[in-house]
Amino acid sequence: MSASLKERVRQSAVAEDLGLTPAFPRNILFELTNACNHACRFCYNHAMRRRIGRMDWKLYQRLIAEAAALGAREAGFATTGEPFASPMVFDAIAEAKRVGIDYTYLSTNGALLDAAKIERLFDSGLDSIKFSINAGNRESYQRIHGRDDFDHVLAMVRLIDSLRKARGRDMKLFCTTVLTDETRGEEEALRRLVGDCFDDMLFATETGATGPTNSCFYELPCPLPFNRAHVTWEGYLSLCCVDFENALVVADLRETSLEEAWRGPMMQRMRRRHLDGDVSGTLCDVCVSRQDKPYAPLLPV
């Protein structure tokens, strides 16, 4: 559970079971909301046409309990939106710990945090928080993120770091930075400002993703349909963590269980297509080809 950020990214790219009905994964991601308070240049969120909403608490309780019973031991709270745009994020973390999830984590731009919310994070039992800080100075940050929150976010990083050390808490603190043409070379500036606060920092070059996806990290077969479950705020099971338009939904979890959906016919069909290298006409093809081409949703949702 204490792997470096780079190692966790590497592990997520590996699927041990490439069968059509693999065991339920150890890792599940919840989209508590698809709302976001930032408008990063490289992110599709601000162009999303899907309705903005928040996950129903009763639905979440049922699904996190099912996931734990099926063997999930890690739960994340970030996909297409900003987790702190959902007021239930603190209760969601605590509920995951209550039902037996060992490792809870989230990714945030950090701009909605304040001292009171950080206290609630510690109380919830969160194991890891990753900040997305995509520039090394205030001016570049405002251009990339679309908001002037650079100084506030760095203050929140420093506060979390000081509190975890003072309290002897093993809450992991990570940072990822997507480097664009105009911010490449700002890595050291960011390191100088807050590098000593983080357990690990990961700098990645903008992927050149096109269309409604921020991915393009994987080739076929993508590991995600095999090694991680992704639940949208509406209650759908999706193949992908960056399915902004619900184009990769395979089941409605309001009508079926997590186990049935994970092993269901649509999930099996898409795993077979990934294994065969034929995802034409789907959002997966847009992602792996890095070409903005026509696609259709897997289900009408």
Side-chain angles (χ1 to χ4, degrees), residues 14-50:
V14 177
E16 295 181 357
D17 186 349
L18 290 175
L20 298 185
T21 56
F24 195 81
R26 289 181 56 83
N27 197 345
I28 185 168
L29 269 180
F30 287 94
E31 178 191 67
L32 299 181
T33 180
N34 59 337
C36 188
N37 56 313
H38 278 199
C40 296
R41 286 191 183 182
F42 51 79
C43 181
Y44 184 81
N45 181 279
H46 58 280
M48 180 171 48
R49 298 183 300 275
R50 180 162 57 115

Side-chain angles (χ1 to χ4, degrees), residues 8 67 89 91 106 141 182 197 227-228:
R8 286 187 61 80
V89 61
D91 291 334
L106 59 77
Y141 183 96
E182 62 183 293
C197 296
N227 72 355
R228 193 167 68 195

Side-chain angles (χ1 to χ4, degrees), residues 136-150:
N137 61 67
R138 181 181 175 186
E139 293 73 23
S140 293
Y141 183 96
Q142 186 169 4
R143 288 196 301 272
I144 298 298
H145 284 253
R147 300 290 186 274
D148 185 14
D149 292 324
F150 185 70

Side-chain angles (χ1 to χ4, degrees), residues 188-229:
E188 288 309 310
L190 187 59
R191 287 187 190 277
R192 285 194 299 270
L193 289 168
V194 285
D196 59 340
C197 296
F198 291 114
D199 296 298
D200 201 3
M201 301 178 75
L202 181 62
F203 296 90
T205 302
E206 188 177 8
T207 63
T210 186
T213 174
N214 286 349
S215 189
C216 294
F217 293 123
Y218 304 125
E219 305 295 335
L220 294 177
C222 174
L224 297 184
F226 301 89
N227 72 355
R228 193 167 68 195

Side-chain angles (χ1 to χ4, degrees), residues 104-152:
T104 55
Y105 63 99
L106 59 77
S107 178
T108 177
N109 58 51
L112 297 178
L113 283 172
D114 56 32
K117 290 177 181 176
I118 288 172
E119 289 290 346
R120 292 189 69 186
L121 270 189
F122 279 99
D123 292 342
S124 73
L126 183 70
D127 295 290
S128 170
I129 181 169
K130 180 177 71 64
F131 282 78
S132 178
I133 307 174
N134 300 298
N137 61 67
R138 181 181 175 186
E139 293 73 23
S140 293
Y141 183 96
Q142 186 169 4
R143 288 196 301 272
I144 298 298
H145 284 253
R147 300 290 186 274
D148 185 14
D149 292 324
F150 185 70
D151 293 337
H152 175 74

Side-chain angles (χ1 to χ4, degrees), residues 267-278:
M267 199 65 158
Q268 291 190 49
R269 190 174 306 128
M270 285 305 297
R271 289 186 185 120
R272 168 53 63 194
R273 293 188 66 177
H274 271 252
L275 292 170
D276 292 343
D278 177 17

